[in-house]
Amino acid sequence: MARTTPLSVNYTVLKSALDQRFLILNSSVNKIIFISLVTLISLLFMYTFVPFNINRWYEDASKFDLFKIFSIFSLAGTFTLLLTQFGLRKWLRIEYLTYGQYFFWFLGEILILTFGIMGCDWLLNNHPDLSVSNYLDTFNYTILIAIPPYVISLLILFGAQQYKLAHNLSLVATEHKALSDNLLIGDENGKIILTLHPNNVLFFKSEDNYVDVHYLLGGEVKTELIRTTLKKIESTCSYSGLIRVHRSYTINIKTVSSSKKTHKGYVLQFDPLPDLQIPVSASHQKQFEQYLSSTTSTFPFTPL
């Protein structure tokens, strides 16, 4: 059996990473944003840091003259990226590149850009010698100056994509949470029969081996008879507003309109069913009163 060395593992990981698709610049919008960022950042980078003492290449150049020179170099980069990202990729019919392939694509862009920089420098700097050695020197300067704006622009796009992805996941999670807040009412076998928003649930009434669900739909009271028990509904619906008040009734405390104390105990009423009075049995009265006294300020109904 062949031994796996750390070096071979690292090579495998690196190869796997380089074989991943480089999709940041696949859309036209991202390409335009990227090219604009590179143009702006490269101009600011050169004007702020003046790499390789470029100002000494142009005698008697004022700050404004240097700004114009750096602007011309930046525009050379802009046209190069427009050519490669929109022209060459379309002409070569390249749908996508891997990270490894894009590294060489970047080097190709620098090779093309170097010709543009040499052309600009030839016009601006009294026609210097156009030789291979001059080209290689210009290539070295160009790649070192181009790397920071190029990488920073890609990182900005990558960060924007990650933010958008996180935002979309957050929306999905919020929608899922909103859906999960609904009460899923199932039968004795766990099959979901009815899905209701808690605000629409009035009460559950036990009918032998069935439960009669009373709820609101379009402002009207509806009922659904489901083969199950109150105990099973209470155990499967994780909603704090459901309270057992009687052997035959579990009510949604949030939709109760009023509670009235009588000589027999409490009776509860709902606005949509003004003629109905649900009793609070003696066995559940103490629990109901404790619940009532601890959360009166949040109740939607008025104790009478």
Side-chain angles (χ1 to χ4, degrees):
M1 180 177 179
R3 294 181 58 187
T4 302
T5 64
L7 184 60
S8 63
V9 171
N10 291 337
Y11 172 77
T12 302
V13 172
L14 178 61
K15 186 178 184 304
S16 176
L18 293 177
D19 287 341
Q20 295 292 318
R21 291 187 178 186
F22 184 83
L23 302 175
I24 297 177
L25 298 179
N26 264 32
S27 72
S28 297
V29 173
N30 279 1
K31 289 177 183 178
I32 292 172
I33 294 173
F34 171 70
I35 293 170
S36 301
L37 285 173
V38 171
T39 303
L40 179 61
I41 295 173
S42 62
L43 176 59
L44 293 175
F45 176 74
M46 287 188 289
Y47 188 75
T48 302
F49 297 102
V50 193
F52 308 114
N53 296 317
I54 298 178
N55 55 322
R56 296 182 181 178
W57 301 358
Y58 304 95
E59 298 179 358
D60 301 325
S62 64
K63 288 186 176 181
F64 181 69
D65 291 333
L66 282 177
F67 182 80
K68 289 192 294 183
I69 292 170
F70 294 151
S71 297
I72 292 172
F73 288 159
S74 298
L75 288 175
T78 302
F79 288 120
T80 299
L81 290 176
L82 287 172
L83 171 65
T84 57
Q85 295 295 333
F86 287 98
L88 283 180
R89 287 193 66 164
K90 185 176 181 180
W91 182 57
L92 297 174
R93 298 180 181 179
I94 298 176
E95 294 184 7
Y96 69 89
L97 295 166
T98 65
Y99 279 87
Q101 291 169 339
Y102 196 85
F103 172 76
F104 292 101
W105 181 269
F106 166 72
L107 292 180
E109 288 179 325
I110 299 301
L111 288 171
I112 296 172
L113 176 58
T114 301
F115 284 109
I117 295 297
M118 284 190 67
C120 294
D121 187 54
W122 188 82
L123 294 173
L124 296 170
N125 199 19
N126 298 322
H127 311 309
D129 183 30
L130 297 177
S131 62
V132 174
S133 61
N134 189 21
Y135 176 84
L136 293 176
D137 289 339
T138 305
F139 176 83
N140 291 333
Y141 292 138
T142 301
I143 193 171
L144 292 174
I145 293 174
I147 286 175
Y150 205 101
V151 172
I152 292 172
S153 299
L154 287 177
L155 289 175
I156 291 174
L157 274 179
F158 177 77
Q161 282 189 351
Q162 294 304 304
Y163 174 80
K164 185 177 180 180
L165 176 62
H167 179 68
N168 290 338
L169 290 175
S170 176
L171 290 178
V172 171
T174 302
E175 291 174 359
H176 176 73
K177 184 178 184 301
L179 290 175
S180 65
D181 285 344
N182 288 341
L183 298 184
L184 306 179
I185 304 168
D187 62 12
E188 60 183 358
N189 297 317
K191 181 181 178 181
I192 302 301
I193 304 298
L194 198 59
T195 302
L196 296 172
H197 191 279
N199 292 342
N200 293 331
V201 176
L202 297 176
F203 62 90
F204 302 89
K205 183 181 180 182
S206 177
E207 301 280 0
D208 295 327
N209 295 324
Y210 292 84
V211 170
D212 205 4
V213 184
H214 293 250
Y215 62 97
L216 292 175
L217 182 63
E220 297 182 4
V221 177
K222 304 289 184 179
T223 61
E224 183 77 23
L225 195 63
I226 300 175
R227 188 177 180 85
T228 186
T229 63
L230 290 179
K231 185 176 181 180
K232 187 171 183 64
I233 287 178
E234 291 167 352
S235 65
T236 55
C237 294
S238 57
Y239 174 59
S240 60
L242 295 183
I243 302 174
R244 177 74 74 91
V245 295
H246 190 276
R247 182 171 57 88
S248 300
Y249 290 98
T250 294
I251 57 101
N252 179 9
I253 198 69
K254 305 297 183 182
T255 55
V256 173
S257 302
S258 67
S259 68
K260 184 178 180 180
K261 182 70 180 291
T262 68
H263 67 283
K264 293 183 179 181
Y266 291 91
V267 290
L268 308 177
Q269 290 184 290
F270 300 83
D271 276 341
L273 299 167
D275 297 328
L276 174 69
Q277 292 185 336
I278 294 180
V280 178
S281 66
S283 60
H284 293 89
Q285 182 171 318
K286 185 176 180 180
Q287 180 185 0
F288 177 76
E289 288 178 338
Q290 289 176 345
Y291 198 94
L292 185 65
S293 61
S294 64
T295 56
T296 298
S297 61
T298 63
F299 276 7
F301 66 85
T302 305
L304 300 176

